[in-house]
Amino acid sequence: MEKLVIEGGRPLRGTVRVNGAKNAVLPLLAATLLSEGRCVLRNVPDLFDVRTLLDILREVGLTADWRGPGTVVTRVERHDCSVARYELVSKMRASIYVLGPLLARRGFARVSLPGGCAFGLRPVDLHLKGLRALGAEIGLDHGDIVARAPGGRLRGARVFLGGPMGSSVGATANTLMAACLADGKSVIEGAACEPEIDELAHFLNRMGATIEGIGTPRLVITGVPALGGAAAHVVPDRIEAGTFAIAAGLLPGSDVRIEDLRVDHLSAVFDKLAEAGVEVTVEDDSAVRVRRTGELRPVHVATLPYPAYPTDCQAQLVSMLSLARGISVVTEKIYPDRFHHLAELNRMGADVQKEGPSAIIRGVDRLSGCDVEASDLRAAAALVIAGMAAEGKTTVHKLHHLDRGYERFEERLQALGASIERQGKQAAAARTAA
Ligand code: EPZ
């Protein structure tokens, strides 16, 4: 099995460019199912999750091809298969994004019900609530969601999509895409306001949709008979940018320029890093300089929907705070069980306890390298960050989690001065495939 072997104790220095956002490109790709024309997506990261969704799109009748690095071109060629099967959906939960578009375009969809993941049940009830509000008849059949639009058409409706943890990114995306081809007007109340939803809405409008209220919790959609082709440049990955910034903040002596990001998408992360004593200098709208010059200070933070502190940067911050003098508290308001990285950090010498939805972190003087196991995508990144700060060698196992959301992560960290290399029989194959 592949693993990353890290020798800790080296600062990060230099410049790193941020890739296109995984959590933006996935709904954008799903939205191309709605188009009767040619769609071109640029700045697409080459990630396992992207490859999985491209495989699903091809199975439901699209041509979806890479045209040079970072560019994907899609066109709907056939409508004879509207099934997203278990073998692919089980690799990536966000495959459910094809449900709304298939239903709206073809009047039918069968999508394997996504399972849970390492940090929770990950229900999809709000996705189904939104589509049912648009008139869909939805049942479960042998583990699949089976959805039908009576008479082949969805109808506009008003629906509130807020859930027990607030807004839902996925449910908003699915319902928004379906509403674009529904007959009449729809209103989505309690819509997610993440930047990735804004990008999706603007892309849909370029395809010919009529969406108002973009960036607000109230989206108003006037259905249209058909949507055409469009192009999109995938927005920079705010979570990847936050991951690099936290890594630089953790490693003493680091001085890293992070570019091609959207500074305005990272206010909560940069604010929390500054509070912890990390020097974050905004150089312009798309670049920051992050320096670790002094001691880290403990902080309290809660993860909440955008623009608050993102849950996808929670694990990485816990790694950093494990070396901040004092007691920090990190509370998960989105996924209360998203703490499988704590046990692995404690094996490295951290002192972190879980109290309900909170991690109580008592800063220690040092971490010591050892073998650790990733449980999910962001936990994998958090363990890599901790390994770069630890004394001695850290080996991070179950790297498939990391490769879902970070492209050439170890190579980019190596370029910043980290001692990190990928080992394992597939390592050579991975490089060849890339
Ligand atoms: C998206 O997942 C992201 N994934 C996640 O990033 C991210 O953590 C999450 O949004 C929150 O920001 C993609 O964009 C592909 P939600 P999603 O629906 O859409 C509950 C990563 O690391 N909920 O906004 O699945 C849910 O349990 C991944 O890149 C329901 O109760 O998240 C959670 O508590 C991990 N019912 C809260 O809402 C539903 O039907 C927010 O979930 C749907 C969600």
Side-chain angles (χ1 to χ4, degrees):
M1 292 294 284
E2 288 185 285
K3 56 193 177 183
L4 283 185
V5 178
I6 304 160
E7 281 296 333
R10 300 164 67 134
L12 297 180
R13 293 212 179 100
T15 297
V16 63
R17 182 192 163 278
V18 178
N19 288 338
K22 167 180 84 79
N23 292 350
V25 71
L26 296 176
L28 289 176
L29 282 170
T32 65
L33 273 164
L34 295 166
S35 172
E36 298 191 0
R38 180 174 181 268
C39 292
V40 182
L41 303 186
R42 295 185 180 86
N43 197 35
V44 176
D46 184 6
L47 303 169
F48 280 19
D49 277 7
V50 170
R51 296 181 191 182
T52 300
L53 188 54
L54 290 175
D55 288 344
I56 292 176
L57 293 181
R58 291 172 186 130
E59 288 198 358
V60 297
L62 276 73
T63 54
D65 303 311
W66 292 94
R67 293 284 170 79
T71 298
V72 169
V73 176
T74 74
R75 180 184 287 277
V76 179
E77 303 289 354
R78 301 181 338 274
H79 296 275
D80 55 347
C81 171
S82 296
V83 177
R85 55 193 175 85
Y86 174 78
E87 290 75 9
L88 291 175
V89 177
S90 59
K91 289 164 67 177
M92 185 199 53
R93 304 187 65 267
S95 310
I96 194 172
Y97 280 155
V98 304
L99 178 63
L102 285 173
L103 183 61
R105 183 81 188 274
R106 303 180 183 173
F108 172 79
R110 175 183 279 264
V111 177
S112 175
L113 183 65
C117 68
F119 47 81
L121 291 171
R122 304 297 295 277
V124 294
D125 58 310
L126 295 173
H127 295 245
L128 306 188
K129 176 181 179 182
L131 297 175
R132 282 189 174 116
L134 297 176
E137 294 167 354
I138 299 178
L140 279 188
D141 177 44
H142 298 294
D144 290 342
I145 300 167
V146 181
R148 285 184 176 79
R153 301 287 303 167
L154 295 175
R155 65 173 191 282
R158 172 190 295 272
V159 62
F160 176 74
L161 283 185
M165 307 301 192
S167 52
S168 163
V169 174
T172 301
N174 243 328
T175 308
L176 174 62
M177 289 187 281
C180 288
L181 288 184
D183 293 330
K185 177 178 170 183
S186 297
V187 179
I188 302 175
E189 306 273 11
C193 297
E194 274 68 5
E196 296 76 25
I197 294 294
D198 296 1
E199 291 294 304
L200 174 64
H202 287 302
F203 181 55
L204 290 163
N205 277 352
R206 289 198 296 276
M207 291 165 67
T210 310
I211 303 167
E212 299 168 276
I214 298 175
T216 77
R218 187 174 188 274
L219 297 173
V220 180
I221 307 104
T222 304
V224 294
L227 292 172
H233 184 94
V234 179
V235 67
D237 193 322
R238 60 194 171 94
I239 304 303
E240 178 182 272
T243 303
F244 283 119
I246 293 167
L250 171 57
L251 298 166
S254 291
D255 185 348
V256 175
R257 175 180 163 84
I258 307 173
E259 55 186 30
D260 291 350
L261 54 75
R262 282 282 301 272
V263 172
D264 58 326
H265 290 170
L266 281 141
S267 300
V269 173
F270 294 157
D271 176 67
K272 202 48 70 176
L273 286 178
E275 185 185 334
V278 177
E279 286 190 40
V280 181
T281 309
V282 175
E283 303 209 328
D284 57 42
D285 293 348
S286 63
V288 294
R289 184 178 177 191
V290 182
R291 280 170 287 180
R292 169 71 193 280
T293 52
E295 287 300 313
L296 290 176
R297 296 190 289 265
V299 298
H300 287 204
V301 65
T303 66
L304 286 160
Y306 187 86
Y309 192 91
T311 174
D312 295 346
C313 282
Q314 176 260 110
Q316 302 91 314
L317 188 69
V318 171
S319 289
M320 188 185 94
L321 296 173
S322 69
L323 288 171
R325 290 188 186 288
I327 294 179
S328 298
V329 180
V330 176
T331 299
E332 257 293 350
K333 298 278 193 180
I334 306 292
Y335 301 112
D337 291 330
R338 193 175 193 171
F339 287 118
H340 289 260
H341 44 289
L342 303 188
E344 297 304 291
L345 288 172
N346 286 341
R347 297 189 61 251
M348 299 177 73
D351 180 356
V352 191
Q353 305 303 319
K354 182 175 181 298
E355 295 292 336
S358 297
I360 314 300
I361 306 158
R362 286 181 178 76
V364 295
D365 292 333
R366 65 186 59 78
L367 296 176
S368 59
C370 64
D371 285 75
V372 290
E373 189 172 283
S375 54
D376 69 85
L377 163 58
R378 308 305 175 181
L383 293 171
V384 170
I385 289 171
M388 290 191 291
E391 291 178 351
K393 184 173 88 168
T394 295
T395 302
V396 181
H397 299 271
K398 297 206 173 177
L399 272 197
H400 61 281
H401 292 296
L402 189 74
D403 294 331
R404 289 190 49 203
Y406 292 93
E407 185 180 350
R408 297 182 304 104
F409 195 48
E410 72 274 9
E411 291 171 35
R412 296 155 78 195
L413 290 171
Q414 280 166 1
L416 292 172
S419 168
I420 179 171
E421 67 166 344
R422 183 182 290 252
Q423 292 181 6
K425 60 179 167 47
Q426 292 92 333
R431 273 192 296 280
T432 307

